[in-house]
Amino acid sequence: MDRGSLEALQLKRLRDTVQKLERVPFYHAKFEKSGLKPEDIKSTADIRRLPFTTAADLRENYPDGLLAVSRDEVVRLHTSSGTTGKPKALFFSRRDVDTAAELLARAFCMTGVTRRDVFQNMMSYGLFTGGLMMHYGAEKVGCMVIPSGPGTSERQLMLMQDFGTTVVHVTPSYAFYFADFLEKKGIDPRRQLALRKAFVGAEPYTEETRRKIEAALGVDVYNSYGLTEMNGPGVAFECEGKCGLHVWEDNFVMEIINPATGEPVGDGQTGELVLTSINREAMPLLRYRTRDLSSIIPEPCACGRTHRRLHRITGRSDDMLIVRGVNVFPQQIERVLMSIPQIGRNYLILLEGLDDMTVKVELSPSAFDGQVERLEELQNQVAEKLRAELWVRPKVDLVASGSLPVTEGKAKRVIDKRSL
Ligand code: ADP
Ligand code: ZN
């Protein structure tokens, strides 16, 4: 679809959504307060007249205060974990489930996946959208889907070998863990497995990490982005160019704002991603504050798709750590670590005492030759590189490969035990 038609469709869907949300007391009250009528939305730029929706709004309206249809029309419930208190509950109508699958099918095709592929979904099934939604998307393409879930690496490997898995869906942390597992078993994925592609998402990771996963597993890694509030995975996905994530703009209106002021940032600048779902029945959300940091790539993509792209998410606006007065993003630390060849794949950021930062990081399996002086030298080198990037010097603790904990779902990289 050309940009003009795409934007016209966006506007139509946005207006329909606003109209529909007049029936939801939460939004109705907000429209009343600002005197807004659905007819006032004359262009997509008028989206700025609409209220924001936050994670707190979802929690306060738990379980079904933001539902826009009757309960009878709901066929699916998903929740987003969060770390404390009540989860965020998201409802899907039959058409919503089908649309979500459709968007993922598009994403799969965009990376060259066809019905001849065997898709092993290593994400957990259940309330988390990453399992079920990807499953539906892959079935829609016609892949043979192996719903392995996160199970043990032995079992994953057996399924891959016996059924010729070509595509996997994993978190970056599990991809590394599995690569280490293969290395220990002496299995060369390039020669002994049929793997070709990995869809990697659910948590932020750097370009360096992508390259490391690609090298370790012998696959093409495509970045997959989504959040439960907007269907789950399939909001934005990379095409074969692997140069930013196309956002399905016929389903989502994206904005990038300054998280402190709520005002839009300039073209191409980094800020908080705000998404409005304009093709949802059961629970559309207006201007949802994702807290994810990114920027829009305004230039058209070489692949020819007209849906604009986002740069990879660099973290969440609430991820920022303040260490000794300096703003530090965990992604900066990851970028440095992953660029050092002797460094392995798992790391942990520990904040303790008054304001002490320790970066615990695994050595690559082959890096340690038993000479303690070399280890100290490397430790200093890593600390120095981190200081140059962060402007504060953390303590670096090199540990044996495979000794840091691996979680089944999303990795927990920061442990903050400061007594500030
Ligand atoms: P939770 O909020 O409990 O983690 P979700 O499963 O809804 O539950 O997670 C969505 C969030 O996961 C996103 O808002 C984003 O922070 C993160 N995320 C998902 N995919 C990616 C990705 N490809 N890159 C960076 N972060 C991602
Ligand atoms: Zn493209």
Side-chain angles (χ1 to χ4, degrees):
M1 196 180 263
D2 62 75
R3 270 314 290 181
S5 316
L6 183 55
E7 281 162 22
L9 179 63
Q10 264 194 323
L11 178 59
K12 181 186 177 299
R13 286 182 170 169
L14 176 63
R15 294 179 72 163
D16 290 350
T17 301
V18 172
Q19 197 132 34
K20 182 184 177 82
L21 287 176
E22 274 213 307
R23 295 196 297 268
V24 176
F26 168 82
Y27 283 116
H28 184 84
K30 295 220 166 188
F31 296 162
E32 287 255 285
K33 202 163 156 218
S34 64
L36 182 109
K37 303 253 175 323
E39 311 79 84
D40 296 340
I41 305 298
K42 295 197 168 64
S43 73
T44 22
D46 287 332
I47 198 166
R48 288 180 54 194
R49 305 184 55 182
L50 298 172
F52 286 119
T53 309
T54 63
D57 294 330
L58 257 69
R59 292 213 167 86
E60 277 158 27
N61 289 282
Y62 179 88
D64 61 2
L66 292 176
L67 187 61
V69 295
S70 86
R71 277 278 193 116
D72 296 353
E73 287 179 57
V74 174
V75 301
R76 176 88 68 84
L77 168 74
H78 279 290
T79 66
S80 166
S81 56
T83 39
T84 48
K86 290 282 191 194
K88 293 168 255 173
L90 275 295
F91 298 95
F92 295 76
S93 69
R94 186 174 304 282
R95 188 169 78 85
D96 290 337
V97 171
D98 202 53
T99 309
E102 175 71 30
L103 298 184
L104 279 161
R106 273 190 205 172
F108 279 55
C109 293
M110 182 161 70
T111 68
V113 168
T114 70
R115 57 197 299 253
R116 286 180 294 281
D117 278 293
V118 178
F119 176 67
Q120 189 162 327
N121 194 6
M122 295 154 83
M123 292 280 190
S124 72
Y125 280 67
L127 286 167
F128 173 59
T129 48
L132 275 170
M133 284 304 185
M134 286 293 256
H135 182 112
Y136 276 55
E139 277 189 355
K140 210 171 189 86
V141 175
C143 300
M144 178 171 102
V145 184
I146 307 179
S148 64
T152 66
S153 300
E154 285 288 354
R155 206 165 123 261
Q156 303 285 5
L157 175 61
M158 184 195 80
L159 292 166
M160 283 178 193
Q161 288 173 322
D162 295 351
F163 300 102
T165 302
T166 56
V167 186
V168 290
H169 177 211
V170 280
T171 58
S173 35
Y174 191 74
F176 275 155
Y177 181 76
F178 190 69
D180 277 343
F181 167 81
L182 291 182
E183 198 172 318
K184 283 185 197 127
K185 301 266 305 179
I187 289 182
D188 175 0
R190 282 184 181 74
R191 288 191 301 108
Q192 290 163 274
L193 297 175
L195 283 185
R196 292 191 299 124
K197 297 179 203 298
F199 297 152
V200 179
E203 50 190 48
Y205 59 105
T206 58
E207 203 51 47
E208 287 75 13
T209 294
R210 183 220 299 270
R211 282 198 286 273
K212 274 203 158 180
I213 299 174
E214 291 191 328
L217 289 177
V219 293
D220 276 311
V221 166
Y222 296 94
N223 196 349
S224 148
Y225 170 77
L227 61 165
T228 313
E229 295 86 324
M230 297 284 134
N231 294 355
V235 172
F237 222 93
E238 282 182 328
C239 64
E240 276 180 307
K242 297 196 273 191
C243 51
L245 300 94
H246 287 282
V247 174
W248 300 129
E249 290 184 274
D250 58 333
N251 277 256
F252 308 100
V253 177
M254 61 169 161
E255 298 170 80
I256 304 281
I257 63 163
N258 174 332
T261 63
E263 291 301 313
V265 301
D267 233 13
Q269 294 208 299
T270 301
E272 178 182 343
L273 174 66
V274 171
L275 292 169
T276 298
S277 37
I278 51 172
N279 195 24
R280 280 279 251 133
E281 278 184 346
M283 195 169 159
L285 297 174
L286 293 182
R287 305 189 80 200
Y288 184 70
R289 306 258 321 232
T290 66
R291 308 199 307 287
D292 292 326
L293 297 172
S294 183
S295 55
I296 295 176
I297 305 174
E299 297 80 30
C301 184
C303 75
R305 286 181 183 81
T306 51
H307 297 273
R308 284 176 304 164
R309 288 165 296 158
L310 283 176
H311 279 290
R312 70 169 58 248
I313 308 288
T314 52
R316 286 162 92 124
S317 58
D318 44 8
D319 266 358
M320 191 180 77
L321 307 168
I322 301 180
V323 183
R324 307 206 165 145
V326 177
N327 299 349
V328 172
F329 282 97
Q331 291 284 290
Q332 289 175 286
I333 297 179
E334 178 175 317
R335 202 161 52 227
V336 171
L337 296 178
M338 294 302 151
S339 69
I340 305 171
Q342 300 96 316
I343 294 297
R345 293 150 181 171
N346 202 355
Y347 68 94
L348 199 64
I349 302 162
L350 212 66
L351 297 160
E352 292 168 303
L354 274 178
D355 219 352
D356 298 318
M357 173 161 63
T358 304
V359 176
K360 274 185 174 248
V361 58
E362 290 182 3
L363 281 162
S364 86
S366 49
F368 187 47
D369 60 2
Q371 282 189 273
V372 178
E373 309 82 71
R374 289 262 188 86
L375 207 58
E376 269 168 22
E377 200 180 298
L378 180 60
Q379 219 148 255
N380 276 329
Q381 234 178 336
V382 177
E384 201 38 46
K385 283 200 163 157
L386 286 169
R387 192 201 54 78
E389 165 77 27
L390 309 174
W391 299 18
V392 313
R393 189 184 162 108
K395 186 169 165 291
V396 171
D397 211 350
L398 295 175
V399 300
S401 158
S403 65
L404 292 177
V406 187
T407 40
E408 212 169 61
K410 303 193 183 215
K412 188 157 171 42
R413 300 287 192 197
V414 182
I415 298 179
D416 196 343
K417 294 195 285 194
R418 280 180 292 189
S419 47
L420 288 177

